[in-house]
Amino acid sequence: MVNLLNAAKADAIAINSQRVIAGSAISAVGTNILVNNSHLAPPFVISAVGDGEIMLQRILNKTLLPGIYERSQKKRILFEIYKKNMVNIPIYNSELKTDYLNLVEE
């Protein structure tokens, strides 16, 4: 879902109030996920800010998310989409790795 929203040019994305940036690691740990070294448990709420029409068009395309739609039809997961006029995305509050940044002086 995060990759799909990034491809739809989302300006900001969060999972359960954890801001996702380009360097964010997301991995599965049993039924939980690990985002920015924070353990998150279901239910997962993914929030995004950007062009709502483009994001909604991509999310509603069942060929782009076949696994989610299949599990939703079989009642194994609850998949709901809400379009809101205003969404709060928290700031990034995890470690910011700067291993490959160099100061350039002019």
Side-chain angles (χ1 to χ4, degrees):
M1 182 65 68
V2 171
N3 289 339
L4 185 91
L5 291 168
N6 275 325
K9 306 248 190 261
D11 295 321
I13 302 170
I15 304 172
N16 288 14
S17 298
Q18 274 294 317
R19 178 74 174 258
V20 177
I21 64 170
S24 293
I26 303 172
S27 55
V29 182
T31 58
N32 297 343
I33 60 174
L34 190 64
V35 179
N36 301 328
N37 292 323
S38 293
H39 290 272
L40 305 178
F44 301 113
V45 176
I46 301 172
S47 304
V49 173
D51 187 327
E53 294 304 318
I54 293 174
M55 290 188 298
L56 193 58
Q57 178 185 18
R58 301 270 171 90
I59 292 170
L60 292 175
N61 184 339
K62 293 181 181 182
T63 61
L64 297 176
L65 298 169
I68 289 176
Y69 278 102
E70 180 182 331
R71 284 179 270 171
S72 177
Q73 284 181 332
K74 293 180 180 179
K75 308 278 189 229
R76 292 174 48 207
I77 63 168
L78 178 62
F79 180 59
E80 298 177 328
I81 303 165
Y82 299 98
K83 185 176 176 184
K84 297 182 178 184
N85 290 330
M86 192 166 190
V87 176
N88 290 322
I89 303 289
I91 63 168
Y92 180 76
N93 61 2
S94 190
E95 181 182 347
L96 188 59
K97 297 193 181 227
T98 58
D99 297 339
Y100 303 104
L101 295 178
N102 294 318
L103 179 62
V104 177
E105 294 185 31
E106 293 184 31

